[in-house]
Protein backbone atom coordinates (compact mmCIF):
# COMPACT_ATOMS: atom_id res chain seq x y z
CA UNK A 1 0.00 0.00 0.00
CA UNK A 2 1.30 3.44 -0.91
CA UNK A 3 1.31 5.62 2.17
CA UNK A 4 -0.01 8.61 0.24
CA UNK A 5 -3.17 6.64 -0.56
CA UNK A 6 -3.99 5.35 2.90
CA UNK A 7 -5.08 7.21 6.05
CA UNK A 8 -2.43 7.42 8.79
CA UNK A 9 -2.77 10.81 10.53
CA UNK A 10 0.26 10.74 12.85
CA UNK A 11 0.72 13.36 15.58
CA UNK A 12 3.89 15.02 16.79
CA UNK A 13 2.59 15.80 20.27
CA UNK A 14 1.00 13.52 22.88
CA UNK A 15 -2.74 14.35 23.23
CA UNK A 16 -3.47 16.01 26.56
CA UNK A 17 -6.43 13.73 27.37
CA UNK A 18 -4.48 10.48 26.89
CA UNK A 19 -3.18 9.10 30.20
CA UNK A 20 -1.86 5.59 29.47
CA UNK A 21 0.83 4.39 27.07
CA UNK A 22 -1.45 2.46 24.74
CA UNK A 23 -3.89 5.34 24.34
CA UNK A 24 -1.11 7.84 23.66
CA UNK A 25 0.65 5.62 21.14
CA UNK A 26 -2.50 4.57 19.27
CA UNK A 27 -3.47 8.23 18.88
CA UNK A 28 0.00 9.49 17.94
CA UNK A 29 0.67 6.72 15.42
CA UNK A 30 -2.67 7.31 13.67
CA UNK A 31 -4.38 4.06 14.66
CA UNK A 32 -7.50 5.46 16.34
CA UNK A 33 -9.48 8.67 16.78
CA UNK A 34 -12.08 9.49 19.42
CA UNK A 35 -15.63 10.29 18.25
CA UNK A 36 -17.18 10.67 21.72
CA UNK A 37 -16.27 9.71 25.26
CA UNK A 38 -15.52 5.98 25.14
CA UNK A 39 -16.29 5.73 21.41
CA UNK A 40 -13.52 5.40 18.80
CA UNK A 41 -12.96 5.03 15.07
CA UNK A 42 -10.46 2.31 14.14
CA UNK A 43 -8.34 3.75 11.33
CA UNK A 44 -6.70 1.54 8.66
CA UNK A 45 -3.65 0.52 10.73
CA UNK A 46 -5.78 -0.46 13.72
CA UNK A 47 -8.21 -2.33 11.48
CA UNK A 48 -5.33 -4.43 10.11
CA UNK A 49 -4.08 -5.32 13.60
CA UNK A 50 -7.62 -6.13 14.72
CA UNK A 51 -8.02 -8.40 11.69
CA UNK A 52 -4.91 -10.32 12.70
CA UNK A 53 -6.15 -10.65 16.28
CA UNK A 54 -9.53 -11.83 15.01
CA UNK A 55 -7.86 -14.36 12.71
CA UNK A 56 -5.97 -15.91 15.64
CA UNK A 57 -9.24 -16.04 17.59
CA UNK A 58 -11.09 -17.69 14.68
CA UNK A 59 -8.38 -20.30 14.18
CA UNK A 60 -8.40 -21.33 17.83
CA UNK A 61 -12.21 -21.34 18.03
CA UNK A 62 -12.48 -23.52 14.94
CA UNK A 63 -9.83 -25.86 16.37
CA UNK A 64 -12.25 -26.73 19.19
CA UNK A 65 -15.26 -26.95 16.84
CA UNK A 66 -16.88 -23.67 17.79
CA UNK A 67 -18.85 -22.27 14.84
CA UNK A 68 -19.11 -18.58 13.93
CA UNK A 69 -22.40 -16.75 13.49
CA UNK A 70 -23.53 -13.13 13.82
CA UNK A 71 -26.39 -11.99 16.04
CA UNK A 72 -28.18 -8.62 16.09
CA UNK A 73 -26.80 -5.72 18.11
CA UNK A 74 -30.36 -4.42 18.54
CA UNK A 75 -32.16 -6.60 21.09
CA UNK A 76 -35.77 -6.66 22.20
CA UNK A 77 -36.49 -5.74 25.82
CA UNK A 78 -38.80 -8.78 26.00
CA UNK A 79 -35.78 -11.10 25.93
CA UNK A 80 -34.09 -9.29 28.79
CA UNK A 81 -37.34 -9.26 30.73
CA UNK A 82 -37.58 -13.04 30.37
CA UNK A 83 -34.14 -13.45 31.93
CA UNK A 84 -34.87 -10.86 34.62
CA UNK A 85 -31.98 -8.65 33.57
CA UNK A 86 -33.89 -5.73 32.02
CA UNK A 87 -33.97 -4.01 35.41
CA UNK A 88 -31.17 -5.92 37.15
CA UNK A 89 -28.43 -5.09 34.61
CA UNK A 90 -28.48 -1.43 35.61
CA UNK A 91 -27.67 1.86 33.87
CA UNK A 92 -24.84 0.38 31.78
CA UNK A 93 -27.47 -1.16 29.47
CA UNK A 94 -28.10 1.29 26.61
CA UNK A 95 -31.88 1.38 26.15
CA UNK A 96 -33.94 2.93 23.37
CA UNK A 97 -37.42 2.90 21.84
CA UNK A 98 -38.48 2.43 18.24
CA UNK A 99 -41.17 4.50 16.48
CA UNK A 100 -43.86 2.20 17.91
CA UNK A 101 -42.70 2.92 21.46
CA UNK A 102 -41.31 -0.62 21.89
CA UNK A 103 -38.29 -1.01 24.17
CA UNK A 104 -34.94 -2.21 22.84
CA UNK A 105 -31.35 -2.35 24.06
CA UNK A 106 -28.04 -2.17 22.25
CA UNK A 107 -26.33 -5.48 22.94
CA UNK A 108 -24.09 -5.36 25.99
CA UNK A 109 -23.92 -9.15 25.85
CA UNK A 110 -25.90 -11.88 24.04
CA UNK A 111 -26.95 -14.58 26.52
CA UNK A 112 -30.64 -13.83 25.98
CA UNK A 113 -30.44 -13.78 22.18
CA UNK A 114 -28.42 -17.00 21.85
CA UNK A 115 -30.57 -18.85 24.41
CA UNK A 116 -33.72 -17.95 22.50
CA UNK A 117 -32.15 -18.89 19.17
CA UNK A 118 -31.05 -22.35 20.34
CA UNK A 119 -34.29 -22.87 22.31
CA UNK A 120 -36.34 -22.42 19.15
CA UNK A 121 -34.16 -24.60 16.89
CA UNK A 122 -32.60 -27.42 18.96
CA UNK A 123 -35.06 -29.98 20.37
CA UNK A 124 -33.01 -33.14 21.01
CA UNK A 125 -29.94 -34.19 23.00
CA UNK A 126 -28.67 -35.69 19.72
CA UNK A 127 -27.81 -32.16 18.49
CA UNK A 128 -25.67 -31.48 21.56
CA UNK A 129 -23.09 -30.31 22.45
CA UNK A 130 -23.18 -27.16 20.35
CA UNK A 131 -20.71 -24.25 20.51
CA UNK A 132 -21.36 -20.97 18.69
CA UNK A 133 -19.42 -17.71 18.67
CA UNK A 134 -19.43 -14.26 17.10
CA UNK A 135 -17.15 -11.24 16.81
CA UNK A 136 -19.22 -8.09 17.13
CA UNK A 137 -19.46 -4.61 18.65
CA UNK A 138 -20.93 -4.36 22.13
CA UNK A 139 -22.38 -1.32 23.89
CA UNK A 140 -22.22 -0.45 27.59
CA UNK A 141 -22.89 2.98 29.03
CA UNK A 142 -19.79 3.11 31.23
CA UNK A 143 -20.08 5.73 33.94
CA UNK A 144 -16.46 6.77 33.49
CA UNK A 145 -14.86 5.65 30.21
CA UNK A 146 -11.09 5.86 30.45
CA UNK A 147 -7.74 4.52 29.28
CA UNK A 148 -8.70 4.69 25.62
CA UNK A 149 -9.80 1.28 24.33
CA UNK A 150 -9.41 -0.38 27.74
CA UNK A 151 -12.73 0.91 29.06
CA UNK A 152 -15.08 2.20 26.38
CA UNK A 153 -18.78 2.47 25.69
CA UNK A 154 -18.56 0.75 22.32
CA UNK A 155 -16.08 -2.09 21.89
CA UNK A 156 -15.42 -5.22 19.86
CA UNK A 157 -15.87 -8.57 21.56
CA UNK A 158 -15.69 -12.25 20.74
CA UNK A 159 -18.44 -14.00 22.67
CA UNK A 160 -19.06 -17.74 22.52
CA UNK A 161 -21.85 -19.84 24.00
CA UNK A 162 -22.03 -23.60 24.44
CA UNK A 163 -25.05 -25.84 25.04
CA UNK A 164 -24.91 -29.27 26.67
CA UNK A 165 -27.00 -32.18 27.87
CA UNK A 166 -24.69 -33.01 30.80
CA UNK A 167 -22.39 -31.25 33.25
CA UNK A 168 -19.55 -33.50 32.08
CA UNK A 169 -19.98 -32.22 28.54
CA UNK A 170 -19.88 -28.61 29.79
CA UNK A 171 -16.69 -29.37 31.74
CA UNK A 172 -15.04 -30.72 28.57
CA UNK A 173 -15.90 -27.64 26.53
CA UNK A 174 -14.85 -25.35 29.38
CA UNK A 175 -11.45 -27.05 29.44
CA UNK A 176 -11.21 -26.74 25.64
CA UNK A 177 -12.02 -23.02 25.86
CA UNK A 178 -9.45 -22.57 28.64
CA UNK A 179 -6.77 -24.11 26.41
CA UNK A 180 -7.93 -22.17 23.33
CA UNK A 181 -7.79 -18.88 25.24
CA UNK A 182 -4.32 -19.72 26.55
CA UNK A 183 -3.24 -20.46 22.96
CA UNK A 184 -4.70 -17.17 21.69
CA UNK A 185 -2.94 -15.00 24.24
CA UNK A 186 0.32 -16.96 23.85
CA UNK A 187 0.22 -16.55 20.07
CA UNK A 188 -0.28 -12.82 20.51
CA UNK A 189 2.86 -12.71 22.65
CA UNK A 190 1.12 -11.43 25.78
CA UNK A 191 2.33 -11.82 29.35
CA UNK A 192 -0.86 -13.19 30.92
CA UNK A 193 -2.22 -15.28 33.76
CA UNK A 194 -5.46 -17.25 34.03
CA UNK A 195 -7.07 -16.44 37.38
CA UNK A 196 -10.01 -17.72 39.41
CA UNK A 197 -12.73 -15.08 39.23
CA UNK A 198 -16.27 -14.06 40.18
CA UNK A 199 -19.11 -14.47 37.68
CA UNK A 200 -20.62 -11.05 38.46
CA UNK A 201 -23.79 -10.03 36.62
CA UNK A 202 -23.42 -12.83 34.02
CA UNK A 203 -24.41 -15.45 36.59
CA UNK A 204 -23.42 -19.07 37.01
CA UNK A 205 -20.61 -20.73 38.95
CA UNK A 206 -17.14 -21.74 37.82
CA UNK A 207 -15.21 -19.03 36.03
CA UNK A 208 -11.72 -17.87 35.08
CA UNK A 209 -10.46 -14.49 33.94
CA UNK A 210 -7.45 -14.10 31.67
CA UNK A 211 -5.33 -11.16 32.79
CA UNK A 212 -2.53 -9.43 30.93
CA UNK A 213 -0.04 -8.26 33.55
CA UNK A 214 0.30 -4.49 33.36
CA UNK A 215 1.05 -1.63 35.72
CA UNK A 216 -2.14 0.11 34.54
CA UNK A 217 -4.36 -2.90 35.17
CA UNK A 218 -7.63 -2.14 36.94
CA UNK A 219 -7.73 -5.54 38.64
CA UNK A 220 -5.41 -6.93 41.31
CA UNK A 221 -4.22 -10.51 40.89
CA UNK A 222 -3.16 -12.62 43.84
CA UNK A 223 -0.63 -15.23 42.72
CA UNK A 224 1.73 -17.74 44.29
CA UNK A 225 5.45 -17.11 44.12
CA UNK A 226 6.05 -20.87 43.84
CA UNK A 227 3.27 -22.28 41.63
CA UNK A 228 0.85 -21.37 38.83
CA UNK A 229 -1.95 -20.50 41.28
CA UNK A 230 -3.59 -17.15 40.48
CA UNK A 231 -6.92 -15.59 41.40
CA UNK A 232 -8.66 -12.27 41.23
CA UNK A 233 -8.12 -10.67 44.64
CA UNK A 234 -11.91 -10.76 45.15
CA UNK A 235 -11.91 -14.56 44.89
CA UNK A 236 -8.57 -15.65 46.38
CA UNK A 237 -9.24 -18.03 49.26
CA UNK A 238 -7.59 -17.43 52.62
CA UNK A 239 -6.29 -20.69 54.13
CA UNK A 240 -4.65 -19.36 57.31
CA UNK A 241 -5.31 -21.70 60.25
CA UNK A 242 -6.34 -19.28 62.99
CA UNK A 243 -5.76 -20.30 66.58
CA UNK A 244 -6.44 -18.24 69.67
CA UNK A 245 -3.64 -17.63 72.15
CA UNK A 246 -3.89 -19.25 75.59
CA UNK A 247 -3.68 -15.89 77.39
CA UNK A 248 -6.08 -15.59 80.33
CA UNK A 249 -9.42 -13.93 79.54
CA UNK A 250 -9.92 -10.56 81.19
CA UNK A 251 -13.12 -8.93 82.37
CA UNK A 252 -15.12 -7.01 79.78
CA UNK A 253 -14.88 -3.25 80.33
CA UNK A 254 -16.48 -0.25 78.63
CA UNK A 255 -14.19 2.75 78.12
CA UNK A 256 -14.77 6.24 76.82
CA UNK A 257 -13.28 6.94 73.39
CA UNK A 258 -14.29 10.48 72.42
CA UNK A 259 -14.14 11.23 68.66
CA UNK A 260 -12.47 7.86 68.02
CA UNK A 261 -14.07 6.11 65.05
CA UNK A 262 -11.61 4.36 62.73
CA UNK A 263 -9.54 1.28 63.54
CA UNK A 264 -6.39 3.37 63.27
CA UNK A 265 -7.78 5.92 65.74
CA UNK A 266 -8.92 3.19 68.15
CA UNK A 267 -5.57 1.41 67.91
CA UNK A 268 -3.62 4.59 68.64
CA UNK A 269 -5.97 5.84 71.38
CA UNK A 270 -5.96 2.56 73.34
CA UNK A 271 -2.40 1.52 72.39
CA UNK A 272 -3.49 -1.84 71.00
CA UNK A 273 -2.52 -3.68 67.84
CA UNK A 274 -5.04 -3.32 65.00
CA UNK A 275 -4.97 -7.11 64.69
CA UNK A 276 -6.62 -7.34 68.12
CA UNK A 277 -9.41 -4.93 67.23
CA UNK A 278 -12.75 -6.05 65.84
CA UNK A 279 -13.93 -4.17 62.77
CA UNK A 280 -17.75 -4.21 62.81
CA UNK A 281 -19.82 -3.16 59.80
CA UNK A 282 -23.54 -3.41 59.10
CA UNK A 283 -24.47 -4.72 55.65
CA UNK A 284 -27.84 -4.74 53.96
CA UNK A 285 -27.95 -8.28 52.59
CA UNK A 286 -31.03 -9.00 50.50
CA UNK A 287 -32.96 -6.54 52.65
CA UNK A 288 -31.73 -7.86 56.02
CA UNK A 289 -29.35 -5.86 58.22
CA UNK A 290 -26.48 -8.13 59.31
CA UNK A 291 -23.42 -7.28 61.41
CA UNK A 292 -20.22 -8.45 59.72
CA UNK A 293 -16.92 -8.74 61.60
CA UNK A 294 -13.30 -8.75 60.51
CA UNK A 295 -10.02 -8.27 62.27
CA UNK A 296 -8.86 -4.66 62.38
CA UNK A 297 -5.92 -5.27 60.04
CA UNK A 298 -8.14 -6.95 57.43
CA UNK A 299 -10.70 -5.70 54.89
CA UNK A 300 -14.12 -7.29 54.35
CA UNK A 301 -14.58 -8.66 50.83
CA UNK A 302 -18.20 -8.08 49.81
CA UNK A 303 -17.93 -10.56 46.90
CA UNK A 304 -16.88 -13.35 49.27
CA UNK A 305 -19.60 -12.25 51.69
CA UNK A 306 -22.20 -12.41 48.94
CA UNK A 307 -21.06 -15.86 47.81
CA UNK A 308 -20.76 -17.23 51.36
CA UNK A 309 -24.37 -16.29 52.11
CA UNK A 310 -25.72 -17.13 48.66
CA UNK A 311 -27.02 -13.56 48.48
CA UNK A 312 -28.23 -11.56 45.51
CA UNK A 313 -27.53 -8.08 46.87
CA UNK A 314 -24.86 -6.98 49.36
CA UNK A 315 -24.20 -3.35 50.24
CA UNK A 316 -23.21 -1.30 53.27
CA UNK A 317 -26.23 -0.20 55.29
CA UNK A 318 -27.16 3.47 55.28
CA UNK A 319 -26.26 5.55 58.33
CA UNK A 320 -29.88 6.24 59.32
CA UNK A 321 -30.68 2.50 59.21
CA UNK A 322 -27.70 1.76 61.46
CA UNK A 323 -28.76 4.46 63.91
CA UNK A 324 -32.27 3.04 64.05
CA UNK A 325 -31.04 -0.53 64.54
CA UNK A 326 -28.20 0.00 67.03
CA UNK A 327 -28.60 3.55 68.33
CA UNK A 328 -25.13 4.64 67.25
CA UNK A 329 -23.16 5.88 64.25
CA UNK A 330 -20.90 3.58 62.17
CA UNK A 331 -17.69 4.43 64.11
CA UNK A 332 -19.04 2.81 67.30
CA UNK A 333 -20.57 -0.44 66.03
CA UNK A 334 -19.69 -3.63 67.88
CA UNK A 335 -20.95 -7.21 68.31
CA UNK A 336 -21.59 -7.08 72.07
CA UNK A 337 -25.21 -6.81 73.32
CA UNK A 338 -26.79 -6.61 69.89
CA UNK A 339 -30.57 -6.81 69.42
CA UNK A 340 -31.55 -10.46 69.70
CA UNK A 341 -32.72 -10.80 66.06
CA UNK A 342 -29.51 -9.40 64.48
CA UNK A 343 -27.29 -12.00 62.84
CA UNK A 344 -23.49 -11.84 63.14
CA UNK A 345 -21.20 -13.18 60.42
CA UNK A 346 -17.49 -13.22 61.27
CA UNK A 347 -14.37 -13.74 59.23
CA UNK A 348 -12.33 -16.74 60.34
CA UNK A 349 -9.60 -14.45 61.69
CA UNK A 350 -11.91 -13.33 64.51
CA UNK A 351 -11.13 -16.72 66.09
CA UNK A 352 -7.61 -15.45 66.88
CA UNK A 353 -8.75 -12.46 68.97
CA UNK A 354 -8.28 -12.56 72.74
CA UNK A 355 -9.06 -9.62 75.01
CA UNK A 356 -9.76 -7.50 71.96
CA UNK A 357 -11.40 -4.13 71.35
CA UNK A 358 -14.79 -3.49 69.75
CA UNK A 359 -17.36 -0.72 69.48
CA UNK A 360 -19.93 -0.49 72.32
CA UNK A 361 -22.89 0.47 70.08
CA UNK A 362 -22.81 3.81 71.89
CA UNK A 363 -21.24 6.88 70.35
CA UNK A 364 -17.91 7.71 72.01
CA UNK A 365 -17.48 4.34 73.74
CA UNK A 366 -15.69 1.02 73.08
CA UNK A 367 -15.39 -2.29 74.91
CA UNK A 368 -11.97 -3.67 75.84
CA UNK A 369 -11.19 -7.28 76.72
CA UNK A 370 -13.77 -8.49 74.22
CA UNK A 371 -13.70 -12.24 73.53
CA UNK A 372 -15.66 -14.06 70.80
CA UNK A 373 -18.24 -16.60 72.00
CA UNK A 374 -17.92 -15.46 75.63
CA UNK A 375 -19.13 -11.88 75.08
CA UNK A 376 -21.12 -12.27 71.88
CA UNK A 377 -22.56 -15.01 69.69
CA UNK A 378 -21.56 -15.62 66.07
CA UNK A 379 -24.00 -17.16 63.62
CA UNK A 380 -21.29 -18.29 61.21
CA UNK A 381 -17.57 -18.08 60.59
CA UNK A 382 -16.66 -17.62 56.92
CA UNK A 383 -13.72 -16.68 54.73
CA UNK A 384 -14.91 -13.15 53.96
CA UNK A 385 -11.74 -11.06 53.96
CA UNK A 386 -9.41 -9.98 51.17
CA UNK A 387 -6.27 -12.04 50.92
CA UNK A 388 -3.04 -10.14 51.68
CA UNK A 389 0.48 -10.31 50.34
CA UNK A 390 2.46 -12.74 52.47
CA UNK A 391 -0.52 -15.02 53.18
CA UNK A 392 0.04 -18.69 52.27
CA UNK A 393 -1.05 -19.65 48.77
CA UNK A 394 -4.37 -21.56 48.78
CA UNK A 395 -2.77 -24.44 46.87
CA UNK A 396 -0.24 -24.92 49.66
CA UNK A 397 2.73 -23.87 47.52
CA UNK A 398 4.54 -20.63 48.36
CA UNK A 399 3.15 -17.31 49.50
CA UNK A 400 0.85 -14.78 47.89
CA UNK A 401 2.10 -11.79 45.93
CA UNK A 402 0.09 -9.14 44.06
CA UNK A 403 0.22 -7.88 40.47
CA UNK A 404 -1.99 -5.60 38.41
CA UNK A 405 -3.79 -6.98 35.38
CA UNK A 406 -5.93 -6.02 32.40
CA UNK A 407 -8.82 -8.44 31.90
CA UNK A 408 -8.87 -9.59 28.26
CA UNK A 409 -10.90 -12.80 28.53
CA UNK A 410 -13.47 -14.45 30.78
CA UNK A 411 -14.99 -17.94 30.70
CA UNK A 412 -18.07 -19.04 32.68
CA UNK A 413 -19.98 -22.18 33.51
CA UNK A 414 -23.49 -20.75 33.36
CA UNK A 415 -25.27 -24.01 34.08
CA UNK A 416 -29.03 -23.55 33.70
CA UNK A 417 -29.13 -19.90 34.83
CA UNK A 418 -30.62 -18.66 31.55
CA UNK A 419 -32.21 -21.78 30.11
CA UNK A 420 -34.45 -22.24 33.16
CA UNK A 421 -35.62 -18.62 33.17
CA UNK A 422 -36.21 -18.61 29.41
CA UNK A 423 -37.80 -22.07 29.19
CA UNK A 424 -35.04 -23.35 26.88
CA UNK A 425 -35.28 -27.13 26.98
CA UNK A 426 -34.38 -30.23 24.97
CA UNK A 427 -35.58 -33.84 25.10
CA UNK A 428 -33.11 -36.21 26.77
CA UNK A 429 -32.62 -39.93 26.02
CA UNK A 430 -35.75 -40.77 28.00
CA UNK A 431 -37.81 -38.21 26.10
CA UNK A 432 -38.02 -35.86 29.09
CA UNK A 433 -37.64 -32.11 28.79
CA UNK A 434 -34.43 -30.81 30.40
CA UNK A 435 -32.98 -27.28 30.52
CA UNK A 436 -29.89 -26.70 28.43
CA UNK A 437 -26.67 -26.61 30.44
CA UNK A 438 -24.73 -23.61 29.17
CA UNK A 439 -21.29 -22.05 29.08
CA UNK A 440 -20.30 -18.51 28.12
CA UNK A 441 -16.87 -17.36 26.92
CA UNK A 442 -15.77 -13.80 26.09
CA UNK A 443 -12.67 -12.06 24.72
CA UNK A 444 -12.33 -8.29 24.47
CA UNK A 445 -10.93 -7.97 20.96
CA UNK A 446 -10.54 -4.18 20.94
CA UNK A 447 -9.24 -4.38 24.51
CA UNK A 448 -6.64 -6.85 23.22
CA UNK A 449 -5.54 -4.18 20.75
CA UNK A 450 -4.95 -1.84 23.70
CA UNK A 451 -3.22 -4.58 25.72
CA UNK A 452 -0.76 -5.43 22.95
CA UNK A 453 -0.26 -1.71 22.27
CA UNK A 454 0.60 -1.27 25.94
CA UNK A 455 3.15 -4.07 25.82
CA UNK A 456 4.81 -3.65 22.41
CA UNK A 457 6.27 -0.16 22.35
CA UNK A 458 9.30 1.90 23.32
CA UNK A 459 9.97 5.62 23.69
CA UNK A 460 9.83 6.15 19.90
CA UNK A 461 6.62 4.29 19.12
CA UNK A 462 5.33 0.78 18.52
CA UNK A 463 7.50 -2.31 18.20
CA UNK A 464 5.04 -4.72 16.60
CA UNK A 465 5.84 -8.43 16.57
CA UNK A 466 5.50 -9.95 13.13
CA UNK A 467 2.26 -11.79 13.92
CA UNK A 468 0.46 -8.52 14.76
CA UNK A 469 2.14 -5.85 12.66
CA UNK A 470 -0.23 -4.01 10.30
CA UNK A 471 2.41 -4.39 7.54
CA UNK A 472 5.55 -6.50 7.34
CA UNK A 473 7.90 -3.99 5.76
CA UNK A 474 8.09 -0.19 5.70
CA UNK A 475 9.74 0.86 2.42
CA UNK A 476 11.10 4.40 2.84
CA UNK A 477 12.81 6.22 -0.04
CA UNK A 478 14.75 9.25 1.22
CA UNK A 479 14.18 11.36 -1.92
CA UNK A 480 11.84 10.26 -4.67
CA UNK A 481 13.06 13.13 -6.85
CA UNK A 482 16.31 11.21 -7.17
CA UNK A 483 15.89 9.00 -10.24
CA UNK A 484 17.94 6.09 -8.88
CA UNK A 485 16.02 6.06 -5.58
CA UNK A 486 12.65 6.30 -7.30
CA UNK A 487 13.52 3.44 -9.69
CA UNK A 488 14.91 1.13 -6.98
CA UNK A 489 12.00 1.88 -4.63
CA UNK A 490 9.45 1.01 -7.28
CA UNK A 491 11.32 -2.15 -8.21
CA UNK A 492 11.59 -3.32 -4.59
CA UNK A 493 7.92 -2.54 -3.97
CA UNK A 494 6.93 -4.84 -6.84
CA UNK A 495 9.37 -7.57 -5.84
CA UNK A 496 8.34 -7.64 -2.19
CA UNK A 497 4.64 -7.73 -3.06
CA UNK A 498 5.26 -10.60 -5.47
CA UNK A 499 6.74 -12.55 -2.54
CA UNK A 500 3.54 -11.89 -0.55
CA UNK A 501 5.04 -9.34 1.80
CA UNK A 502 2.61 -6.72 3.03
CA UNK A 503 4.47 -3.48 2.27
CA UNK A 504 3.80 0.10 3.34
CA UNK A 505 5.54 2.27 0.72
CA UNK A 506 6.20 5.80 2.01
CA UNK A 507 5.84 7.67 -1.29
CA UNK A 508 4.95 10.96 0.42
CA UNK A 509 6.71 14.22 -0.42
CA UNK A 510 7.99 14.62 3.13
CA UNK A 511 11.39 15.35 4.65
CA UNK A 512 13.44 12.26 5.61
CA UNK A 513 13.21 13.14 9.32
CA UNK A 514 9.41 13.12 9.17
CA UNK A 515 9.38 9.79 7.35
CA UNK A 516 11.77 8.15 9.84
CA UNK A 517 9.87 9.51 12.84
CA UNK A 518 6.60 8.20 11.43
CA UNK A 519 8.22 4.85 10.67
CA UNK A 520 9.33 4.52 14.31
CA UNK A 521 5.87 5.59 15.53
CA UNK A 522 4.09 3.02 13.37
CA UNK A 523 6.66 0.40 14.39
CA UNK A 524 6.67 -2.17 11.58
CA UNK A 525 9.13 -5.07 12.06
CA UNK A 526 11.46 -4.04 9.21
CA UNK A 527 12.28 -0.67 7.65
CA UNK A 528 13.98 -0.67 4.27
CA UNK A 529 15.51 2.72 3.46
CA UNK A 530 16.40 3.56 -0.11
CA UNK A 531 19.01 6.33 0.01
CA UNK A 532 22.36 7.46 -1.34
CA UNK A 533 23.53 4.00 -2.41
CA UNK A 534 20.45 3.35 -4.55
CA UNK A 535 22.54 3.66 -7.71
CA UNK A 536 24.65 0.73 -6.42
CA UNK A 537 21.55 -1.34 -5.65
CA UNK A 538 22.19 -1.19 -1.88
CA UNK A 539 19.60 -0.38 0.80
CA UNK A 540 19.72 0.13 4.56
CA UNK A 541 17.61 -2.32 6.59
CA UNK A 542 16.64 -1.57 10.20
CA UNK A 543 15.06 -4.11 12.54
CA UNK A 544 12.59 -2.25 14.74
CA UNK A 545 12.79 -4.67 17.66
CA UNK A 546 16.56 -4.40 18.18
CA UNK A 547 17.51 -1.21 16.33
CA UNK A 548 20.12 -3.14 14.33
CA UNK A 549 20.90 -1.80 10.87
CA UNK A 550 22.40 -3.59 7.86
CA UNK A 551 23.33 -2.75 4.29
CA UNK A 552 21.95 -5.35 1.93
CA UNK A 553 22.16 -5.58 -1.82
CA UNK A 554 18.92 -5.63 -3.78
CA UNK A 555 19.60 -9.22 -4.88
CA UNK A 556 19.87 -10.56 -1.30
CA UNK A 557 17.01 -8.57 0.27
CA UNK A 558 14.26 -11.15 -0.19
CA UNK A 559 16.35 -14.08 1.03
CA UNK A 560 17.44 -12.21 4.15
CA UNK A 561 13.89 -11.06 4.86
CA UNK A 562 12.65 -14.62 4.44
CA UNK A 563 15.22 -15.76 6.98
CA UNK A 564 14.28 -12.97 9.41
CA UNK A 565 10.54 -13.68 9.28
CA UNK A 566 11.08 -17.45 9.59
CA UNK A 567 13.23 -17.18 12.71
CA UNK A 568 11.82 -14.16 14.56
Amino acid sequence: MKQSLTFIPTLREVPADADVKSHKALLRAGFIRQNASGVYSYLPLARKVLSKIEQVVREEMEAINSVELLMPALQSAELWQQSGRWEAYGPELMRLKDRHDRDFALGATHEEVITTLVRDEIKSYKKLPLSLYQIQSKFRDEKRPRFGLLRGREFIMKDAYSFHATRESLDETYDDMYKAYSNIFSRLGLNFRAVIADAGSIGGKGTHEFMVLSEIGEDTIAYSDSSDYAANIEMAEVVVDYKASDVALKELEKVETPNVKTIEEVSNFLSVDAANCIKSLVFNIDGELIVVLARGDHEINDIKLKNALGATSVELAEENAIKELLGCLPGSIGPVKLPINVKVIADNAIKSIRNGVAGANEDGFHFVNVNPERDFAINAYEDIRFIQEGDPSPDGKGIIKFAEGIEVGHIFKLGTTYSTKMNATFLDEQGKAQPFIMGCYGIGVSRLLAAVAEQFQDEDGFVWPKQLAPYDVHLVPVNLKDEAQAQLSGELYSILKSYRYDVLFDDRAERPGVKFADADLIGLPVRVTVGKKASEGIVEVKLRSTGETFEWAKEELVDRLNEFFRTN
Side-chain angles (χ1 to χ4, degrees), residues 308-338:
L309 299 181
T312 301
S313 172
V314 171
E315 57 186 12
L316 283 170
E318 295 181 359
E319 190 173 291
N320 59 349
I322 295 171
K323 185 76 172 177
E324 183 178 346
L325 179 71
L326 303 178
C328 67
L329 295 174
S332 300
I333 300 169
V336 180
K337 299 181 180 178
L338 288 170

Side-chain angles (χ1 to χ4, degrees), residues 108-255:
T109 181
H110 276 71
E111 283 80 14
E112 286 81 4
V113 175
I114 194 70
T115 302
T116 304
L117 182 64
V118 172
R119 177 193 69 191
D120 295 344
E121 302 298 332
I122 303 296
K123 305 299 182 183
S124 170
Y125 74 95
K126 295 179 180 179
K127 298 290 186 179
L128 301 175
L130 177 65
S131 178
L132 303 168
Y133 79 95
Q134 65 173 351
I135 298 175
Q136 190 205 57
S137 290
K138 295 286 193 289
F139 305 86
R140 293 177 191 169
D141 194 3
E142 291 283 352
K143 184 176 183 180
R144 193 160 65 94
R146 61 189 187 277
F147 298 162
L149 302 181
L150 286 175
R151 185 163 295 281
R153 295 194 294 165
E154 179 180 347
F155 53 94
I156 302 170
M157 184 176 178
K158 187 285 299 180
D159 47 325
Y161 306 89
S162 63
F163 295 81
H164 309 268
T166 66
R167 295 278 175 178
E168 292 75 17
S169 176
L170 171 60
D171 290 344
E172 290 175 8
T173 296
Y174 188 91
D175 290 343
D176 287 343
M177 285 287 180
Y178 185 102
K179 294 171 186 174
Y181 276 37
S182 297
N183 291 343
I184 289 167
F185 303 132
S186 295
R187 288 178 61 181
L188 297 180
L190 290 167
N191 181 17
F192 74 96
R193 295 290 289 264
V195 306
I196 300 166
D198 178 60
S201 64
I202 296 293
K205 293 183 178 180
T207 175
H208 284 83
E209 288 174 342
F210 290 80
M211 296 281 194
V212 173
L213 302 187
S214 170
E215 61 186 18
I216 66 156
E218 294 184 287
D219 296 290
T220 300
I221 302 165
Y223 68 95
S224 169
D225 65 353
S226 303
S227 72
D228 60 359
Y229 174 84
N232 188 300
I233 192 174
E234 296 173 335
M235 295 297 291
E237 182 184 3
V238 175
V239 294
V240 177
D241 184 17
Y242 294 105
K243 294 180 179 178
S245 70
D246 56 4
V247 66
L249 303 188
K250 298 180 181 179
E251 186 176 351
L252 183 68
E253 180 183 354
K254 185 163 72 171
V255 297

